[in-house]
Amino acid sequence: MKNRGLFLFSKGVSHIGTRLFTFALSWYILSESGSGMDFSLSLLVNYLPQILLSLFAGHISGKARHPNRLLVLCDAASAVICCLPLFHLSLASIYVTIFLLSAISAVFNNVIDAHLVHLEGVDNPETLKRLTSAVQFITSGANIIAPSLGGLLIQALPVQMFAVINMASFLLSAFGELWLKYRSRQAGQRSQDKADARAVLFYMFSPRKLRTFFLADSLGNFFVTAGINVALPLIVTTALGIFSSGYGVISSSTAAGSVLCAVWRTKSPGTSRLQYPFWKMGLLGACMLLLSLSACLGREPWSVMALCAIMFAVGWLSVDINIQTKTTLQLFVEPAFLGRVLGISTAISYVLIPLSLVIAGGLSEVWPAFALPLASGGMLLMANVGLWGVERGNGNN
């Protein structure tokens, strides 16, 4: 229990500090330059290390004999990098800081996910799911609190002070991680550490259930990004003309669904089996179709109430799917491959999400607002049915 508490403390402290720092950097870029291009560039330098280094991060994670030491090293390096804006605050130094922190985060997150199943105190699938749900609760909660708190603090504190706060959070996190205890892997579990990327890809896409699992997850990320993340602001602003206050309430509904789902899963972790949650992803597709229909509603308050209900369901389902997919991989992928499998999966996601944003952004210029979630939801439902049928056919053979 003490070990799991230290883990949650370290994860929570570092995530809150990072979210506050990210908010402050975003505010600085927009306030100093007023350029959407400069802000987009900051998003790009944040994505690039995740795409380029995820496989390398998986390799490092797979070879780690003492994961807590690697976590401490990552947090200590992140604290040092936060010093850059203190010496010279400019757009260039901010881009370098974002890039380096993202590169370290690629390694840090892979170590966390790949070795969570070996954390002392995690003795069965239910405990793993409860701990993953608790982490998701902390993450979702910080994503709600940090922007609000940052909005208040930014009026009184300079951006450099947010760097100091983030440094302190990393150092506190490192102190907690120093005492974490992990079970050592057996010699047989390390026998495949030298497998190359082709061997890992063959492992991921050759077994029938793993293949459909990764295909379904990749397509889900692609269509949800286009059908919800891009479509929602367009429907709210152009189709319905909802004011900013109403949009804030709608966005808060997504966060509320995320938090409540994480709390629920800490109490009711559910079953564990190697199967993708097709029906939950199908419900997300249905939410997109409802989002498309909402574009036909009138102005506030009915449109806001309908969108709040839809986005609450989206928040709940997204977290539920994330918890299930992550713990499924941790339980059923061979430990020797787990770090690199998670690295490749992360890299694929970080490639597909920007691609989806670009395609959806281009289509939104020529399509009406309701068409994007309609097309994305319909294609996601068809893909889900097809992959579910393939999985059932393979299981019966």
Side-chain angles (χ1 to χ4, degrees):
M1 186 68 179
K2 179 182 177 182
N3 206 39
R4 298 199 299 270
L6 272 175
F7 175 81
L8 292 174
F9 167 79
S10 300
K11 182 73 173 176
V13 166
S14 64
H15 189 72
I16 291 172
T18 300
R19 286 292 296 160
L20 281 172
F21 191 43
T22 302
F23 174 86
L25 293 182
S26 300
W27 177 86
Y28 177 84
I29 292 170
L30 290 172
S31 62
E32 290 297 314
S33 70
S35 169
M37 181 61 70
D38 288 337
F39 183 71
S40 298
L41 185 58
S42 71
L43 297 179
L44 178 62
V45 297
N46 184 56
Y47 270 116
L48 276 177
Q50 301 289 339
I51 297 171
L52 300 175
L53 300 178
S54 288
L55 181 58
F56 176 68
H59 178 72
I60 294 176
S61 176
K63 296 178 74 67
R65 303 292 177 87
H66 302 283
N68 64 317
R69 296 179 185 176
L70 189 51
L71 294 175
V72 170
L73 182 61
C74 287
D75 273 340
S78 297
V80 172
I81 289 169
C82 287
C83 294
L84 289 177
L86 299 180
F87 294 111
H88 181 65
L89 184 62
S90 66
L91 288 179
S93 67
I94 285 176
Y95 291 146
V96 172
T97 301
I98 292 172
F99 183 88
L100 293 176
L101 287 178
S102 180
I104 295 173
S105 176
V107 178
F108 182 89
N109 290 333
N110 193 289
V111 174
I112 287 284
D113 292 337
H115 292 275
L116 187 58
V117 71
H118 303 298
L119 187 71
E120 285 192 10
V122 180
D123 303 317
N124 53 63
E126 283 195 1
T127 305
L128 176 64
K129 285 194 171 186
R130 285 194 172 98
L131 186 59
T132 303
S133 300
V135 170
Q136 188 68 60
F137 169 73
I138 291 171
T139 302
S140 299
N143 290 342
I144 297 171
I145 295 170
S148 302
L149 182 60
L152 295 174
L153 293 177
I154 201 71
Q155 305 298 325
L157 300 176
V159 173
Q160 292 91 330
M161 195 62 199
F162 284 85
V164 174
I165 293 172
N166 204 20
M167 287 171 58
S169 73
F170 280 130
L171 293 175
L172 277 174
S173 177
F175 180 77
E177 290 154 358
L178 192 63
W179 309 103
L180 289 178
K181 296 179 181 179
Y182 287 85
R183 295 186 298 274
S184 60
R185 289 191 295 162
Q186 302 298 320
Q189 293 177 332
R190 297 194 295 263
S191 61
Q192 298 170 342
D193 279 347
K194 295 182 180 180
D196 59 15
R198 287 181 297 176
V200 179
L201 286 170
F202 181 80
Y203 176 82
M204 289 175 65
F205 293 102
S206 288
R208 289 170 174 173
K209 285 197 173 180
L210 273 182
R211 182 167 58 229
T212 55
F213 190 98
F214 286 113
L215 286 174
D217 197 48
S218 299
L219 289 173
N221 284 328
F222 182 85
F223 288 122
V224 168
T225 299
I228 294 177
N229 296 349
V230 175
L232 177 64
L234 291 173
I235 289 176
V236 167
T237 56
T238 62
L240 297 175
I242 295 173
F243 296 117
S244 58
S245 58
Y247 183 46
V249 173
I250 294 166
S251 300
S252 299
S253 299
T254 309
S258 302
V259 170
L260 290 178
C261 177
V263 172
W264 169 256
R265 283 305 177 197
T266 60
K267 304 296 182 182
S268 178
T271 58
S272 301
R273 54 180 178 171
L274 181 54
Q275 185 177 32
Y276 191 77
F278 288 108
W279 71 272
K280 295 176 184 176
M281 188 59 76
L283 288 176
L284 269 181
C287 287
M288 291 185 223
L289 299 182
L290 291 175
L291 184 60
S292 177
L293 291 175
S294 71
C296 303
L297 296 175
R299 292 179 177 267
E300 305 178 62
W302 296 111
S303 57
V304 173
M305 293 171 61
L307 288 172
C308 283
I310 294 169
M311 296 312 297
F312 179 89
V314 167
W316 182 290
L317 289 167
S318 298
V319 166
D320 206 16
I321 292 170
N322 184 51
I323 291 170
Q324 185 171 341
T325 54
K326 186 175 290 187
T327 54
T328 298
L329 293 178
Q330 290 166 335
L331 290 169
F332 291 100
V333 172
E334 292 182 24
F337 285 109
L338 182 56
R340 279 164 289 183
V341 166
L342 290 172
I344 292 175
S345 177
T346 300
I348 291 172
S349 295
Y350 274 90
V351 169
L352 289 177
I353 290 174
L355 181 62
S356 177
L357 289 171
V358 170
I359 294 174
L363 290 175
S364 67
E365 297 294 325
V366 294
W367 284 4
F370 72 88
L372 200 55
L374 181 63
S376 299
M379 287 188 284
L380 179 58
L381 286 172
M382 288 189 290
N384 259 320
V385 171
L387 289 172
W388 176 75
V390 169
E391 184 174 280
R392 281 182 59 85
N394 288 335
N396 292 332
N397 290 335

